[in-house]
Amino acid sequence: MPGIFSLSIDVELAWAFVHRGRIDLAKMTQVSMNVRKIMNKLFGLFEAYQIPVTWNILGHLILDHCSKKDESALPHPDMPRPSYSWLNDDWYRYDPCTQVTSDPAWYGKDIVDRIAHYVETSKLSHEIGCHSFSHQLFGDSGCSENVARAEILKCMQLMKTEYNIIPETFAFPRDHVGHLDLLKESGFVSFRDVPAKLYPCLELERTFSRYLKTYFSLAAQLLSYYFLFPPHVVRSRQTSCGLIGIQGCLAYGEKPLVPLEFLTIKAKQGIDRASREGAAFVVYTHLRDFGANRRFFSQFDRVLRYAKRKRDEGNLLVLTMSDLASKRSK
Ligand SMILES: [Zn+2]
């Protein structure tokens, strides 16, 4: 039985960092402009190697502007707010409430338009998945059912109105899994599950044990790169509410102290292991990474070229998340 390679790209630009106390906005603006320049080349890469992709879109990027009533008003008053123990501020405090021309890191209608058009016109069977509206941490106890439901529905509504798309796959922001029953209710079929082993602690509370857990998992991850342990490969699981969960295996992105080359080696090891064991190797990355480092594209090219070679040899299938999930449910 051939192995399976699945690639997801999360599209959220600066919203990836809204949980942080500070964002380097000048850098993110530059990154978001670079992303816009490289997109056609990226589409060309997928066509050249015939790689279908699951594009997980963040709802706020489907907007080309947003506004508030007056200076003292909150952005998006229709969206319920979380009560995270580690955040003493409004979740939308960074939202500039302007438009894409002045703040291209916070709006991305032009980007999502191009992805939707590419997905529609490509002969490859790409998928468009949902990444919430504003990058809330679904697994945190401060993200209530009310907040989670609004996040899912707002993103789905924008996708339906703008592109007539009904997503089947959900990618949790920061892989913080929660409120699965709401996804099921909303018609989702699959989700990207928490990566196994060595994964950094997701909690953001400022406690000693949290810091300890985070540093331990970061150190373990770092060692795994330097000793080049092959990444794990997975089989999907069905949750009690009937969704198919598929764990991410490798977050392909810039990491402190880890050269990109090591990630490429890891990705090839994962593809080999999946082929050998007839399992799935799920790689995910972020569109912003292609705009942050010029070498990212060429390293990523090597991974996809390798996947194509393995597929041409008959040892690998390349599938989107929902196609992978439907194989599981057959
Ligand atoms: Zn906004």
Side-chain angles (χ1 to χ4, degrees), residues 15 60 63 65-67 75-76 92 94-98 106-107 133:
W15 287 91
H60 198 282
L63 306 175
H65 73 282
C66 68
S67 55
H76 302 282
Y92 290 88
Y94 293 119
D95 190 333
C97 294
T98 54
W106 297 102
Y107 305 92
F133 177 69

Side-chain angles (χ1 to χ4, degrees), residues 119 134 159:
V119 166
S134 70
M159 286 181 162

Side-chain angles (χ1 to χ4, degrees), residues 38-57:
I38 207 167
M39 283 178 71
N40 286 346
K41 205 172 146 193
L42 194 58
F43 297 152
L45 192 67
F46 302 133
E47 293 301 310
Y49 299 135
Q50 297 283 289
I51 306 285
V53 176
T54 303
W55 303 85
N56 297 312
I57 310 288

Side-chain angles (χ1 to χ4, degrees), residues 303-314:
V303 176
L304 299 194
R305 196 183 319 155
Y306 194 72
K308 177 190 185 296
R309 197 176 104 199
K310 287 287 165 182
R311 186 186 51 205
D312 291 350
E313 290 168 4

Side-chain angles (χ1 to χ4, degrees), residues 53-203:
V53 176
T54 303
W55 303 85
N56 297 312
I57 310 288
L58 186 97
H60 198 282
L61 284 201
I62 300 177
L63 306 175
D64 58 7
H65 73 282
C66 68
S67 55
K68 52 186 177 184
K69 259 201 317 222
D70 54 65
E71 256 325 293
S72 60
L74 290 177
H76 302 282
D78 57 320
M79 295 303 284
R81 301 313 211 237
S83 55
Y84 298 130
S85 61
W86 41 269
L87 180 72
N88 292 320
D89 210 335
D90 183 46
W91 183 253
Y92 290 88
R93 65 205 178 285
Y94 293 119
D95 190 333
C97 294
T98 54
Q99 66 281 319
V100 63
T101 43
S102 47
D103 289 293
W106 297 102
Y107 305 92
K109 175 91 177 31
D110 56 325
I111 289 177
V112 185
D113 282 354
R114 286 166 70 187
I115 293 171
H117 179 256
Y118 166 59
V119 166
E120 204 184 316
T121 51
S122 169
K123 288 201 173 67
L124 299 166
S125 130
H126 291 280
E127 174 185 13
I128 292 194
C130 176
H131 196 36
S132 83
F133 177 69
S134 70
H135 222 258
Q136 301 282 353
L137 310 185
F138 279 57
D140 191 297
S141 58
C143 180
S144 65
E145 196 175 310
N146 199 21
V147 171
R149 181 177 284 113
E151 284 286 309
I152 296 166
L153 295 183
K154 178 96 172 175
C155 187
M156 288 181 81
Q157 179 220 328
L158 284 162
M159 286 181 162
K160 177 80 178 121
T161 313
E162 296 296 330
Y163 307 109
N164 202 23
I165 286 169
I166 299 170
E168 291 188 351
T169 293
F170 194 85
F172 286 97
R174 303 200 78 239
D175 294 322
H176 218 325
V177 172
H179 299 290
L180 288 176
D181 46 340
L182 293 183
L183 290 187
K184 180 70 183 166
E185 253 178 61
S186 311
F188 284 88
V189 176
S190 57
F191 66 100
R192 193 169 71 223
D193 211 345
V194 187
K197 298 172 190 170
L198 304 179
Y199 192 69
C201 172
L202 289 168
E203 306 308 323

